[in-house]
Amino acid sequence: MEAAAQQFARVAKRWVLVFSDVESTADWRRALEAAGLDYVRTGAWIKAGSTPQFTGDRPATGFEAITICHQPGRKRWNGGGSHAVWEFPIVLNRSGPRLHTTQKPLALMQRLVDLFTDPGELIGDPFAGSATTLVAATSLGRRSVGWERDSAFYEVARRRLAGEE
């Protein structure tokens, strides 16, 4: 986490957004602040249609936290005073191809790209998975680069970006 935060702070021009479970947000905040970024807010992706807790012995998780940081200095985003809460349905095989176990909805990633970046800016996704962020960036006129260490998901991402998936 600390090594990743150092690299995010090193290369980011403005915003850094990190998806995680709510229990990890404080750890991400500490790591990102230690790397020199300003903590701004913790947002939430409300996961409409998310999986119930099948054991029935505790509540299910219905959202993912988004730790939102920025380089020191003046901050600017395209959302005005709107809330940092976004509700989008999870990706299911019946609503389109689910290519990754933690795949984010394309509409969610397009909304975040639109809010936190401007046309022509470069977006980096160091955990690219099935490349949803990169697809969103391209669709909105942003440049993007992604990394994926799992060779099977790298291949899925490559095919998706090439229009084969």
Side-chain angles (χ1 to χ4, degrees):
M1 191 176 284
E2 287 77 14
Q6 287 290 328
Q7 295 306 312
F8 300 164
R10 183 179 67 82
V11 301
K13 299 272 191 239
R14 291 196 302 154
W15 295 101
V16 173
L17 279 67
V18 178
F19 282 82
S20 70
D21 59 359
V22 69
E23 294 82 5
S24 300
T25 57
D27 295 332
W28 273 111
R29 178 180 179 171
R30 277 190 293 277
L32 292 161
E33 286 180 325
L37 293 169
D38 289 344
Y39 169 78
V40 174
R41 182 99 47 246
T42 298
W45 164 37
I46 307 300
K47 300 165 77 169
S50 62
T51 306
Q53 180 66 41
F54 291 116
T55 61
D57 63 347
R58 67 196 92 160
T61 301
F63 75 99
E64 280 187 39
I66 307 169
T67 304
I68 303 169
C69 293
H70 193 282
Q71 289 291 351
R74 183 169 165 76
K75 287 137 185 71
R76 180 180 58 78
W77 80 311
N78 302 324
S82 62
H83 295 107
V85 177
W86 300 277
E87 184 170 351
F88 288 89
I90 62 169
V91 177
L92 300 169
N93 284 329
R94 64 181 175 263
S95 62
R98 182 173 176 180
L99 306 170
H100 191 276
T101 53
T102 61
Q103 184 173 337
K104 305 298 183 278
L106 180 58
L108 168 65
M109 300 315 293
Q110 286 172 322
R111 183 70 180 134
L112 294 176
V113 166
D114 186 51
L115 288 171
F116 289 94
T117 68
D118 294 324
E121 286 188 324
L122 177 64
I123 297 171
D125 187 350
F127 309 105
S130 61
T132 302
T133 303
L134 308 179
V135 171
T138 300
S139 74
L140 294 171
R142 276 64 164 181
R143 299 172 300 125
S144 62
V145 61
W147 301 262
E148 177 53 51
R149 71 179 185 169
D150 184 303
S151 60
F153 289 127
Y154 167 82
E155 187 56 30
V156 167
R158 186 202 63 73
R159 286 193 317 267
R160 189 174 186 194
L161 292 168
E164 301 167 14
E165 189 74 57

